[in-house]
Amino acid sequence: MTIPASGTPTGSEPGPEVRTTAGVLRGRTEGGVAVFRGVPFAEPPVAALRFAAPRPVKGWDGVRPALSYGPPPPQAGFFGMDALARDAAGTDWLTANVWSPEPYPGAGLPVMVWIHGGGYSFGTAALPEYDGTRLARDGGVVVVTFNYRVGIEGFAPIEGAPANRGLLDQIALLEWVRDSIRAFGGDPDRVTVFGQSAGAGSVAALLAMPRAAGLFGRAVAQSAQGTFFSRALGADIAAACAAELGLRPTAADLSAVAPDRLAAAGDAIAARSTSFAGRWGRAALRTIPFSPVVDGDVLPVTPWQALADGAGRDVDVLTGHTRDEQRLFTALDGTLGRVTDELAATTLRDFAPGPDGPRRYADGFPAAGPEELYELVHSDWLFRMPSLHLAEAQITGGGRAHVYELTWPAPGMGGALGACHGLDVPLVFGNLAGGRPAALFGESPSPAGEELSASMRTAWTAFATHGDPGWPAYDAGRRLTRIFDTRPAVTAYPEEASRLIWQDHAFAALPLLGE
């Protein structure tokens, strides 16, 4: 069965139907692919199931419409995401969306499972930049996106609840893919997880989690967020959030708090995050109140240690970052063009590795001014070096990795943001004119942007299909890296000065200071 390119069915024409293990779903045809939205993959984690590990979804009788995205989980207030969650009806927070060009058993298409970012505090698969139509249609793959619990609901260590509930949601989704994706035309033995920012940090975590073993064979980490917390740090932040409500960080206390009120408590703590810097360190200075916790069970060790020990040797890895990761955040917090020598010096002292880190940055980048140094060390600490070290740990553990860097400067807003954090997402999905990221491309996408997007989609889907994105694997000798720009190239890793500064740094779980 081939889906016609006519878009949404008209008149009495029924939408495509699939039979999953839970029941029959009816979707619709859009842009040449079958689309199924708001498909539950686990029971709503509310009432008696709040703060619990996800439970398999109950089945249903008859045909269930799968036409609308499920409601987002409770959200932090960044970009108005909290209002988006409050306005959405229902508690079906754990739902998936599927795009398939051949939605019938036996098609055997590769499957690409997207994990959205949002600092582990916000995010939903319903954002227009995550629409999987072009990626599925042009790449001949089945694309899956989904929601998982974020913020306190998903990542705060709470007494009486399992750790890393957001990661457990992701495993529940992958188990649903294993059991149901064949009905949508997918091959459960050819699953690639891919994600960006906190989504890429989640991909890294899944590589380290014994419970995720065998659920995917390839992994793409785009700008992997390098923050993982010790249990003590996570628990201290959770206690502060609960104290904001006059409560203890226990499931018994917090389960009676309305979800939006609990999310607001997290926002209140984030708003005065820097006041906790003496205890929370870099997490407080960067306003990162939630991250996966290395708890010794759900997540036994950090991803870098797990990969170096061989946990991912049977998984193909593609990882990389943008050149100007920090520029977006510098613009958002009003610092762009205002970084002083004093601010740069303080930032280098706080984030550069080791006591001689600031000097090594000055030596490695002798022509850099204060703003460039400020952005370099932030970019390196949070995204660039964690991503590179994933590849290096994978190789150390006997696996294979491919590395890339996106250097194409976004033309929107006068080109002020360069190759900033998040630019890769619309390029990979091919959605250059929808959602907030559309501002990065100006009034209309340029031919150069469209060409680059096609190149990245081709690389990602080729990697998902047969493990080769189109350039040689990374190794410790040549360090070959694919550069995505108007003139594509494969060259030695271009951020050599940063690599040398961070080469001996271990990305350990962030500690609670003064324990």
Side-chain angles (χ1 to χ4, degrees):
M1 170 180 164
T2 300
I3 298 299
S6 58
T8 304
T10 58
S12 60
E13 179 187 354
E17 292 185 1
V18 298
R19 180 177 295 277
T20 71
T21 54
V24 179
L25 295 162
R26 177 179 294 137
R28 59 162 50 106
T29 305
E30 298 176 6
V33 300
V35 185
F36 302 84
R37 293 184 174 92
V39 180
F41 65 86
E43 285 294 290
V46 296
L49 298 183
R50 193 160 179 205
F51 306 119
R55 305 283 180 87
V57 66
K58 297 175 183 176
W60 57 83
D61 296 324
V63 178
R64 179 183 179 123
L67 306 177
S68 302
Y69 290 111
Q75 303 273 308
F78 297 103
F79 308 113
M81 295 294 290
D82 54 343
L84 180 66
R86 284 195 303 271
D87 292 344
T91 57
D92 252 339
W93 300 340
L94 303 182
T95 59
N97 318 289
V98 182
W99 289 260
S100 177
E102 298 182 53
Y104 59 87
L109 300 178
V111 181
M112 298 183 69
V113 177
W114 171 254
I115 306 178
H116 68 73
Y120 304 106
S121 292
F122 63 93
T124 170
L127 298 178
E129 52 264 38
Y130 304 147
D131 184 282
T133 302
R134 291 190 74 180
L135 192 60
R137 183 188 64 220
D138 299 349
V141 298
V142 175
V143 175
V144 180
T145 68
F146 67 102
N147 291 338
Y148 58 95
R149 283 173 284 182
V150 294
I152 297 173
E153 301 280 350
F155 289 96
I158 294 172
E159 183 182 336
N164 296 306
R165 296 171 298 279
L167 296 180
L168 294 177
D169 292 346
Q170 295 171 16
I171 287 181
L173 179 280
L174 290 170
E175 291 172 338
W176 177 85
V177 167
R178 177 195 62 198
D179 297 338
S180 300
I181 204 64
R182 197 180 301 276
F184 297 89
D187 182 349
D189 295 321
R190 287 201 294 169
V191 174
T192 298
V193 290
F194 70 127
Q196 183 264 352
S197 195
S202 297
V203 168
L206 290 169
L207 285 164
M209 294 171 66
R211 302 183 197 196
L215 294 175
F216 58 94
R218 298 187 177 109
V220 183
Q222 304 169 209
S223 304
Q225 182 170 327
T227 54
F228 286 77
F229 289 175
S230 68
R231 189 165 184 89
L233 175 60
D236 204 64
I237 296 174
C241 294
E244 186 74 14
L245 299 167
L247 301 171
R248 299 170 302 155
T250 67
D253 274 21
L254 298 181
S255 60
V257 179
D260 60 343
R261 188 164 170 249
L262 192 59
D267 283 350
I269 293 300
R272 58 178 195 274
S273 176
T274 54
S275 67
F276 296 96
R279 294 179 62 79
W280 303 345
R282 291 167 169 174
L285 294 174
R286 274 305 300 251
T287 315
I288 301 172
F290 306 109
S291 284
V293 172
V294 179
D295 67 307
D297 177 23
V298 175
L299 183 59
V301 296
T302 66
W304 302 277
Q305 181 180 335
L307 290 182
D309 292 342
R313 66 166 56 99
D314 296 325
V315 179
D316 296 327
V317 171
L318 170 61
T319 184
H321 53 76
T322 70
R323 182 185 57 202
D324 308 308
E325 293 279 3
Q326 173 63 23
R327 189 74 53 79
L328 173 68
F329 304 101
T330 305
L332 288 173
D333 67 16
T335 313
L336 191 63
R338 298 182 176 184
V339 177
T340 62
D341 289 332
E342 182 181 4
L343 178 56
T346 299
T347 303
L348 286 167
R349 186 177 65 247
D350 290 337
F351 291 95
D356 64 341
R359 178 192 58 78
R360 296 178 70 189
Y361 265 95
D363 292 346
F365 301 93
E371 185 159 298
E372 184 178 355
L373 289 170
Y374 172 88
E375 292 193 348
L376 279 167
V377 71
H378 273 307
S379 295
D380 286 342
W381 174 73
L382 191 53
F383 300 116
R384 299 202 313 177
M385 295 304 105
S387 300
L388 179 66
H389 283 213
L390 278 181
E392 294 180 340
Q394 172 74 342
I395 295 164
T396 298
R400 186 175 66 157
H402 292 80
V403 174
Y404 73 90
E405 183 176 37
L406 173 61
T407 61
W408 183 72
M413 294 172 282
L417 298 187
C420 65
H421 187 70
L423 177 62
D424 52 317
V425 174
L427 291 169
V428 166
F429 277 89
N431 299 325
L432 310 189
R436 287 192 182 92
L440 296 172
F441 299 92
E443 293 186 6
S444 61
S446 66
E450 292 285 5
E451 184 177 345
L452 180 60
S453 175
S455 177
M456 295 188 77
R457 292 200 309 278
T458 296
W460 265 235
T461 54
F463 179 75
T465 301
H466 45 70
D468 183 358
W471 66 91
Y474 188 88
D475 62 57
R478 297 180 299 168
R479 301 191 179 91
L480 293 181
T481 303
R482 172 69 153 88
I483 307 301
F484 284 100
D485 210 320
T486 49
R487 292 186 178 181
V490 176
T491 184
Y493 181 68
E495 310 303 339
E496 180 67 2
S498 291
R499 187 191 71 80
L500 291 173
I501 291 170
W502 290 84
Q503 64 180 344
D504 297 322
H505 178 77
F507 283 95
L510 296 177
L512 177 65
L513 304 180
E515 287 184 80

